[in-house]
Amino acid sequence: MSTARHSLQRRLLATVMTIIVLAAAVLAGTAWRSALRQADEMFDYHLQQMAHALRGGLPLAPPAQDVDGSDEYLVQIWGPDGVQLFRSVPTPLPPRAVLGFSDARLDGVHYRVYSVQSPYQTVQIAQNLDARQARARALALRATLPMALIAPLLMLLAWWGIRRSLAPLARTRAEVAVRAADDLSPLQGAGLPDEVLPLVDEINALFSRLDQAFAAQRAFVANAAHELRSPLAALKLQAQAVERAADDSARATALARLQQGIDRAIRLMQQLLLLARQEAAVQDGALLPPLALAPLARQAVAEALPQAQARGIDLGLETEGEETALPAVRGDADALAILLRNLLDNAIKYTPEGGRIDLVLGPRSVAVHDSGPGIAPAERARVFERFYRSPDAAAGGSGLGLTIAQAIAERHGATLQLDSSPRLGGLAATLRFAPDPTPA
């Protein structure tokens, strides 16, 4: 189902142009009404001044005529006894003058009349309203003409400004359109508006996460191809041994070894998948929820206890202080459970039978102490490398347990450190969480 496309540039232009047109119309209307009112007041004042000027005597010249030859002004003067002393045109004005301003209609023509009286005479002067309104409209038109000229100029400037402002967006679109599918380099944010820059930053953060996920995927494929070559070859040899078995006893032994090889291959694949997921989630940027470490520690000890008891190892949990007083940390419960289980598995694997392992829970830290042989200081940094196993290691393994634990620790912003255990003499693997800047 297709959806209508909306152009930001067209919408901005339409909005701005509409505002300009409406503003120009309002201003032009206001200027038109104001010019008409001012012209009306000016003409009334002119009539008033002419009438007062004529109170001193009769006019020496006939009043002005309009451009079409019709009389624009009519003048009529009465004596104190009601005798008409002067009339500018044959058409008489009303004989009973209304002092001040009034309107009159003579022979179908509207006039604006002003009358003033003195002890010696009464002066009436009238102006043709049609001619007067024509002049007022001409004045109003000249007052509104600048609005009609400025509005198109403002619209042109708005169009230019919007196109110039949106030019960085077009540049960014072109940059994305021509880049290769595997190019996840950050987009350039120079020149982008402040309203668009956060979007570009989020896109760059998404590119970074995608690049990290693709890198983890490539690493997983490479590691799987490298590490599965030997187990698969061994499985093939073991399958051939089953075929060549001379009797049921030899066949049963070969099948048992084949089953062990399959279990090791499955275990390796699970470790590789888990490592790929944890490495892809190291910098996902999501704020992890708060959780308590004590329940996770108890669960990890309970799951590892049967394995420890099978080897006669004393496995216990110790809490520094009251468990309820321990602060919560932010983390993924499933991932932290895997980390603790990997640390306990390593401790059980390398601790001699009859030994001891303590999981010590402290404020924002978890430590696994064992009574095993430990790890030489020169090897402690290398054991976090994938598939690396110390030459002195007696137990078997894939070399991914501590690598996975390290990836989970980095995802949580924590540190995983290996030291000599002061309490049991073996290895101490300590996970320390950074202070939480956000209230839990």
Side-chain angles (χ1 to χ4, degrees):
M1 181 178 179
S2 62
T3 57
R5 299 179 59 183
H6 299 283
S7 169
L8 178 61
Q9 178 172 307
R10 285 198 296 269
R11 294 179 67 180
L12 286 175
L13 284 173
T15 301
V16 173
M17 299 304 179
T18 302
I19 292 174
I20 291 175
V21 170
L22 291 178
V26 171
L27 291 176
T30 303
W32 177 273
R33 289 192 299 270
S34 177
L36 290 178
R37 184 177 62 255
Q38 292 177 3
D40 193 58
E41 293 175 354
M42 181 186 66
F43 289 136
D44 280 349
Y45 178 77
H46 185 55
L47 281 178
Q48 189 177 19
Q49 293 301 311
M50 290 178 63
H52 284 285
L54 292 174
R55 286 195 307 175
L58 299 178
L60 299 178
Q65 289 186 330
D66 203 356
V67 293
D68 59 358
S70 61
D71 294 316
E72 181 181 356
Y73 292 98
L74 305 180
V75 179
Q76 193 167 258
I77 301 176
W78 305 82
D81 54 358
V83 178
Q84 189 179 74
L85 302 178
F86 178 81
R87 187 171 64 194
S88 60
V89 293
T91 305
L93 292 171
R96 309 182 77 179
V98 177
L99 297 182
F101 288 101
S102 62
D103 293 333
R105 185 179 180 88
L106 302 174
D107 297 335
V109 180
H110 289 85
Y111 288 93
R112 179 70 166 168
V113 182
Y114 180 76
S115 302
V116 63
Q117 189 177 42
S118 68
Y120 305 105
Q121 60 186 3
T122 299
V123 178
Q124 290 178 296
I125 183 167
Q127 185 181 19
N128 188 324
L129 278 179
D130 293 335
R132 170 173 165 154
Q133 290 175 356
R135 290 190 176 186
R137 285 192 293 269
L139 293 175
L141 181 61
R142 285 196 293 269
T144 58
L145 186 60
M147 300 300 172
L149 298 178
I150 291 176
L153 179 60
L154 290 177
M155 296 171 72
L156 180 62
L157 291 176
W159 172 81
W160 176 81
I162 290 175
R163 283 184 60 88
R164 182 178 178 84
S165 299
L166 296 180
L169 291 180
R171 185 194 67 227
T172 303
R173 181 194 61 79
E175 179 184 350
V176 174
V178 299
R179 67 169 46 196
D182 59 347
D183 184 4
L184 296 176
S185 59
L187 298 175
Q188 298 297 323
L192 290 176
D194 292 341
E195 293 80 6
V196 180
L197 192 57
L199 174 61
V200 174
D201 292 339
E202 292 299 328
I203 293 176
N204 288 336
L206 175 61
F207 282 172
S208 177
R209 293 194 295 270
L210 288 174
D211 186 54
Q212 184 179 5
F214 291 156
Q217 182 185 39
R218 290 190 295 268
F220 168 76
V221 173
N223 292 331
H226 178 268
E227 293 300 320
L228 287 176
R229 185 180 297 112
S230 296
L232 291 177
L235 289 176
K236 183 177 181 180
L237 293 176
Q238 291 164 359
Q240 293 174 351
V242 172
E243 293 179 351
R244 292 193 300 265
D247 51 31
D248 292 341
S249 176
R251 184 176 293 105
T253 302
L255 284 174
R257 292 177 178 174
L258 177 61
Q259 183 64 42
Q260 292 174 357
I262 293 174
D263 292 339
R264 285 195 297 270
I266 293 175
R267 172 70 174 173
L268 177 60
M269 284 297 300
Q270 291 174 341
Q271 294 282 73
L272 285 171
L273 289 173
L274 181 59
L275 176 62
R277 284 196 296 267
Q278 294 304 321
E279 287 182 341
V282 167
Q283 296 178 349
D284 61 2
L287 182 63
L288 297 171
L291 55 85
L293 288 175
L296 292 177
R298 288 196 299 269
Q299 177 185 355
V301 170
E303 292 176 354
L305 192 58
Q307 183 182 357
Q309 291 176 344
R311 302 192 62 218
I313 296 175
D314 179 14
L315 174 60
L317 172 64
E318 180 180 334
T319 302
E320 296 179 355
E322 294 293 332
E323 181 178 310
T324 56
L326 296 178
V329 299
R330 290 192 176 273
D332 184 338
D334 294 335
L336 290 177
I338 293 171
L339 185 152
L340 295 178
R341 184 56 193 268
N342 280 4
L343 295 182
L344 290 175
D345 284 346
N346 275 353
I348 294 172
K349 187 184 300 181
Y350 292 102
T351 299
E353 294 185 2
R356 177 182 170 186
I357 299 175
D358 289 342
L359 193 152
V360 182
L361 186 62
R364 308 190 69 81
S365 68
V366 182
V368 176
H369 298 261
D370 64 56
S371 59
I375 299 177
E379 297 289 325
R380 290 173 185 168
R382 296 202 61 188
V383 293
F384 290 112
E385 299 175 5
R386 62 185 67 192
F387 307 115
Y388 178 81
R389 299 182 68 252
S390 174
D392 299 330
S398 62
L400 290 175
L402 288 177
T403 306
I404 294 172
Q406 177 78 339
I408 295 174
E410 290 178 357
R411 177 186 175 190
H412 289 76
T415 59
L416 182 58
Q417 186 175 357
L418 303 180
D419 296 296
S420 298
S421 173
R423 58 190 299 160
L424 298 181
L427 182 69
T430 306
L431 176 69
R432 291 188 177 87
F433 291 88
D436 187 4
T438 305

